[in-house]
Amino acid sequence: MEFRTLNANEIDCRIRAFTPWPSAFFYIDGTRIKVLRAKIGQSTNQNPGTVVGNSASIAVACKDGSVIEFVEIQPE
């Protein structure tokens, strides 16, 4: 996903559009992670692409200070 060029709303719309097929995904350490559900999180001042989640969830800073939080994911 393009966290640096898209805001959280645009990414959320793409995730919903691509679920269940062809699916939305990202990679962590070479492992493909499919995103099944996401939501828009609280704004942040972190750089786009920075993981801002805690141990309970994964959230990533996006363009314009927006944040996308991955609610349900599935490893390959």
Side-chain angles (χ1 to χ4, degrees):
M1 288 185 215
E2 295 293 325
F3 301 110
R4 291 175 178 88
T5 59
L6 299 174
N7 64 38
N9 187 53
E10 293 167 324
I11 293 172
D12 182 54
C13 288
R14 289 183 182 198
I15 290 169
R16 287 184 288 118
F18 299 150
T19 300
W21 186 87
S23 78
F25 60 90
F26 60 94
Y27 290 93
I28 294 179
D29 296 330
T31 300
R32 183 176 159 162
I33 308 294
K34 183 189 284 188
V35 179
L36 303 175
R37 264 187 331 127
K39 68 179 184 178
I40 298 171
Q42 297 290 329
S43 297
T44 184
N45 59 359
Q46 298 291 324
N47 291 328
T50 304
V51 176
V52 294
N54 54 39
S55 61
S57 68
I58 297 174
V60 179
C62 304
K63 179 181 172 185
D64 300 332
S66 59
V67 173
I68 189 79
E69 183 178 335
F70 301 118
V71 176
E72 187 176 355
I73 58 175
Q74 177 184 16
E76 64 181 347

